[in-house]
Amino acid sequence: NFGDPDFNDGVVSVTTAEEAAAAVAKGGIVKVTAPIDLIDLSSLNAAMPLNLMLMAPVTKINIGTTLDDPTPITIEVADGVAFPKFNVNSYTESVRNLTIKGTPTSSQPLVGFRVTELGNNQPKAMTNVTLKGVHLDTKGVYMAHSNGTIIENMTIEDCNMTNLIEPGVSFQAGGAHGNVTIKNNTVSFAPNAASTANGLYLLGFTGPLTVTGNTIIGAPYHGIFVMANAKANLVTEAFANATTIISGNTIENPNRDGVKIENCIADMTVSNNIISAHDNGIRVKGFLADNTFTVTGNTINVQNMNAFTGEESWGILFVDSNSTAKPVINVYGNKKEGTTDYWFKLTGVTPAESSNYANPW
């Protein structure tokens, strides 16, 4: 049931680049039914939203725009059709109001969504961008920021990331990004994956981040790693709304921590996750502000913990050594599975008096 059956009337089928250019300029539903080398959506601002349905392969699609608020574009790739290379022509362009849809079990997966990869013309900004139901293989979603790319309102949802050799989702520090949601994805790794690959590698957020409902299997390093940007000149009011929620995820047997969070600077909640890790279940390291950190409702299985770092592994560990911050630390209502003497530790941190961690389990 490919596409929306309510919009069958007025569908335009195209077989050449020339036909595609004329059709996408008008908007509506455009089906590509024969291979095309290039479709250029640069600065497209059609009279109505565009739903570009790829029933045949397109080698490259230019998705950059110089417009601040272009007409929304959906690119939908049919099961078994190869994904195009998504391209930005210039550093002056941005990616805006774009949705890319696929089939999570497609036999022709996308080998990484890497518009911001080094060596490409990294966009100035990415706003209102969604990846939904895409099968990614070998490489995941990579958001580098050497060009200072601003990323805002991005959703990665219902994607199936298989045979990965690097993180399923990777946000690198250097840009400004927030209002990002990563939900209901499955992340699994190839035997030859880099030993430092995290399941989700999420650095430098200056706005809200929600990570929920994901299944992360066998990450070579941490299952989910979130780190705020510690540069003093970036510790500003921009972080005031940078609430992070990590909830309802299943994290199976990463080689290091199930969830690691470093340089906390905004309110964070880690709740209702199911974690089985080889090092710590949840590790929180370093505080940069008097934020509130809540850990509740998580189920942590310690049976596979093996003291990866040469020190004891903990179910839940808060540690700091160089901070004057006094965060509110609330740890309660978590569930134990397995046997260990090392369930909860808080060291080097001075919690606020209103904290609640007397009964973490």
Side-chain angles (χ1 to χ4, degrees):
N1 192 19
F2 183 65
D4 190 333
D6 293 335
F7 290 93
N8 286 334
D9 291 340
V11 174
V12 176
S13 295
V14 298
T15 60
T16 69
E18 293 75 17
E19 290 176 349
V24 300
K26 297 177 182 178
I29 298 177
V30 177
K31 284 187 178 182
V32 176
T33 56
I36 295 175
D37 287 334
L38 172 67
I39 293 179
D40 191 353
L41 304 177
S42 298
S43 298
L44 178 69
N45 197 22
M48 66 179 76
L50 170 66
N51 186 359
L52 181 61
M53 303 168 63
L54 305 189
M55 313 295 293
V58 175
T59 304
K60 182 168 73 173
I61 298 181
N62 292 332
I63 57 174
T65 179
T66 58
L67 301 173
D68 291 335
D69 189 22
T71 302
I73 297 171
T74 299
I75 300 172
E76 202 166 348
V77 183
D79 189 7
V81 173
F83 278 81
K85 173 179 173 55
F86 296 108
N87 182 67
V88 174
N89 287 322
S90 167
Y91 292 102
T92 65
E93 293 183 346
S94 297
V95 179
R96 302 188 190 276
N97 301 348
L98 175 68
T99 297
I100 298 172
K101 292 183 178 181
T103 304
T105 57
S106 177
S107 61
Q108 294 288 324
L110 175 61
V111 184
F113 183 71
R114 308 178 70 84
V115 176
T116 68
E117 188 170 25
L118 297 176
N120 291 340
N121 288 321
Q122 297 181 31
K124 185 169 63 174
M126 295 183 67
T127 57
N128 301 321
V129 175
T130 297
L131 270 67
K132 184 173 177 60
V134 176
H135 182 191
L136 295 112
D137 192 82
T138 309
K139 297 182 178 182
V141 180
Y142 181 79
M143 297 286 110
H145 302 302
S146 66
N147 193 41
T149 303
I150 297 170
I151 297 177
E152 187 175 13
N153 298 333
M154 184 172 188
T155 299
I156 304 165
E157 179 180 6
D158 297 332
C159 294
N160 182 24
M161 307 178 192
T162 57
N163 300 310
L164 295 173
I165 60 173
E166 58 183 41
V169 179
S170 181
F171 276 78
Q172 301 294 316
H177 42 283
N179 295 317
V180 172
T181 299
I182 303 168
K183 68 177 182 178
N184 299 339
N185 304 285
T186 300
V187 178
S188 59
F189 290 83
N192 64 332
S195 61
T196 55
N198 300 282
L200 305 178
Y201 189 44
L202 309 171
L203 304 186
F205 274 77
T206 59
L209 168 66
T210 300
V211 181
T212 183
N214 303 283
T215 299
I216 302 168
I217 303 169
Y221 215 59
H222 304 303
I224 298 173
F225 182 23
V226 177
M227 183 169 67
N229 199 325
K231 294 180 180 179
N233 63 335
L234 292 179
V235 180
T236 66
E237 292 180 2
F239 287 94
N241 296 316
T243 302
T244 296
I245 297 172
I246 301 174
S247 180
N249 303 283
T250 298
I251 304 168
E252 298 181 7
N253 296 323
N255 274 337
R256 291 294 305 267
D257 302 329
V259 175
K260 180 183 178 183
I261 298 177
E262 190 167 345
N263 295 339
C264 301
I265 199 165
D267 292 349
M268 296 191 180
T269 299
V270 181
S271 64
N272 302 315
N273 302 284
I274 299 173
I275 299 171
S276 175
H278 285 172
D279 204 351
N280 304 288
I282 298 169
R283 177 160 58 125
V284 184
K285 180 181 179 182
F287 292 86
L288 301 179
D290 298 343
N291 57 293
T292 297
F293 202 110
T294 300
V295 178
T296 184
N298 301 282
T299 299
I300 299 178
N301 188 318
V302 300
Q303 289 303 101
N304 293 319
M305 290 183 177
N306 56 13
F308 187 97
T309 60
E311 301 176 357
E312 297 299 340
S313 297
W314 293 85
I316 300 171
L317 172 64
F318 284 79
V319 60
D320 200 352
S321 59
N322 187 28
S323 173
T324 59
K326 294 184 178 180
V328 177
I329 295 177
N330 298 319
V331 186
Y332 59 91
N334 299 286
K335 181 180 178 182
K336 301 175 179 179
E337 288 190 354
T339 303
T340 182
D341 293 329
Y342 305 98
W343 282 109
F344 177 75
K345 183 177 182 180
L346 191 155
T347 182
V349 185
T350 304
E353 291 184 2
S354 59
S355 298
N356 172 20
Y357 55 89
N359 296 294
W361 303 94

